[in-house]
Amino acid sequence: MTEAMFGTGNDQWVCPNDRQLALRAKLQTGWSVHTFCTDRQRKSQMLEQQEMENILSVIRRAEELEQIEQLRIGRLVERLDNMRKSVLGNGRSQCLLCGEVLGLLGTPSVFCQDCCKKVCTKCGIEPQSSQKRTQWLCKICSEHREVTSTLGTLDFSLLYDQENNALHCTINKAKGLKPMDHNGLSDPYVKLHLLPGASKANKLRTKTLRNTLNPIWSETLTYYGITDEDMVRKTLRISVCDEDKFRHNEFIGETRIPLKKLKPNQTKNFYNCLEKQLPVKAARAVSLHGSLEERGRIMISLKYSSQKSGLVVGIVRCAHLAAMDANGFSDPYVKTYLKPDENKKSKHKTAVKKKTLNPEFNEEFFYEIKYADLSKKTLEVTVWDYDIGKSNDFIGGVSLGISANGERLKHWFDCLKNKDKKIERWHTLTNELPGTTFND
C-alpha cells in the first residue's frame, strides 16, 4: 500500500502503510508528522548484508547449542531409566547393577552412600571430594545426581497462534523431581506466569498429581490476547510446585522462556532442567506506554459503515483482567466514549458479567459520524468492576486514535483505510490513560 496524505498545506500528515506501522510498533514508537526524510534515514541506518549474515549466524548457533543441550538432558534421563530397569542384583550379597556375587570369595564391593546398596568396583564411581575418607556412588545414583542437580526436568511445548492471538503451553511430563514430602515423594503441579505483569489474573495452572516424582500431565494451558508486541518483550515463567493440604505449597523449581524465541504458528519442544527460584524484579508490570501498569487485555472491533454513515464499535471479550473483589474475581463491564464529546452523548455501556476475569460480551455500539471527522476523534474504552452499594472500581482502559501509537494507532488507521470492513484487535488495558480522570 502507498502512503495516504491527509490535510492541506503545513498541516499535512501521513497515514503510513501496514509494513511501516508494524515496524514502528516493534520499535515502540508512534508515527511522527515529520515523515519526509524517513526514506533517507532508513537507507543510512540499514545493516549491510555481511552484518546481517553475521547476526543470523550467531542466532542459529545459539539455537543449535540449545537444542544439543536439550537432547543431552533427554538422553541422560532415558539412560537413567534404562539403568534402573536393568538392575540384576539385590545390592546385599550381589552387585546391584551387574549381579555378580560379592564377599570374601567373590568380587570386591563398595557401599553407595546415596542408596546404601552394595556394588562391585566396576559398577561404582568414586566422585571427586575434598574429604579424606573415600566415598562411592553406584552408577545409578551418580547419574541421578547429575539429573537432579537442577531439581528435575520438565518436558513441555509452546505454540504461538498468531491469527488467534493465543499462546498454547502443553505441559507433558516431568522427571526426577526433588522429593518434598515425608514419604520421599511429591504432589506436583505446574503454574504459569507471564513476565512482566505476573498477577493472579494471568496465572494458569495444571491439575495436581499425587505421590510421584515423575508426573505425566499432558495438559494444555492457553493465554488469549497475546500480541506480536508481547512476543518480543514477554517471558513465560513455568514453575513446578508441591501441593500441601495443611500448609503452604512448596516451590520445587522453575524455567523461563523468552517468547521471542518462538516462531509464529510453529510448535517448539523443550526439555529443560528446573532451576532454583530466580528473583522477580520488584518493578510493577510495565507496558510500552510509559510506567503504566497492565490490567488485562480487551478485544475491540472497528468498522466504518458507509451505508449508515457511522462508526460501529464492537466489544468482543476481555482476558486476564485484574481481580478487584475479595473473592479473587471481578464483575466487569465496559464503557465507550468517542471524544471530544461536547454534548456528552457518546457514552455506551455493556452488560455486567459476574465473577469472571475473562468475560465475553459480543456487543456492538453505533456512533453516527462523518468519515472525514474520524481523524479528529479518539475512542476511549474503559473496563469497570461493578459493586453494589459503593463506587464501581476502575480496572483499566485504552485509547484509540491518531494520537495513539503502536497497535492502537495501527488499528485506528486500518479502520480509516478499510471502509465497511470489520477489523478486530487485542489491546492492553492500563491503570490510567494520559490526561484522563475516570469517574463512573
Side-chain angles (χ1 to χ4, degrees), residues 30-52:
W31 189 263
S32 171
V33 295
H34 304 291
T35 58
F36 298 103
C37 59
T38 54
D39 289 336
R40 185 187 306 168
Q41 292 175 343
R42 191 179 300 115
K43 289 178 181 179
S44 65
Q45 296 173 3
M46 287 179 61
L47 294 174
E48 296 181 359
Q49 183 65 27
Q50 185 61 42
E51 292 175 319
M52 287 293 296

Side-chain angles (χ1 to χ4, degrees), residues 301-303 364 418 420-424:
S301 69
L302 297 178
K303 182 182 77 171
E364 290 187 341
N418 299 277
D420 301 309
K421 180 180 179 181
K422 180 187 287 188
I423 300 172
E424 290 185 346

Side-chain angles (χ1 to χ4, degrees), residues 206-221:
T206 66
K207 60 189 176 185
T208 300
L209 299 181
R210 302 291 176 185
N211 297 323
T212 178
L213 300 180
N214 300 287
I216 300 176
W217 288 282
S218 299
E219 192 171 340
T220 299
L221 307 174

Side-chain angles (χ1 to χ4, degrees), residues 1-18 20-21 31-36 304 370-377 401-402 409-419:
M1 291 184 180
T2 59
E3 295 179 346
M5 302 292 295
F6 292 83
T8 58
N10 295 329
D11 295 328
Q12 282 188 336
W13 51 280
V14 174
C15 177
N17 60 39
D18 294 341
Q20 292 167 329
L21 275 173
W31 189 263
S32 171
V33 295
H34 304 291
T35 58
F36 298 103
Y304 185 82
K370 295 179 181 179
Y371 176 75
D373 294 337
L374 273 181
S375 60
K376 305 173 186 176
K377 295 288 187 178
I402 61 171
L409 174 65
K410 186 177 186 299
H411 195 181
W412 192 253
F413 275 137
D414 285 346
C415 175
L416 291 176
K417 292 189 292 183
N418 299 277
K419 291 182 181 180

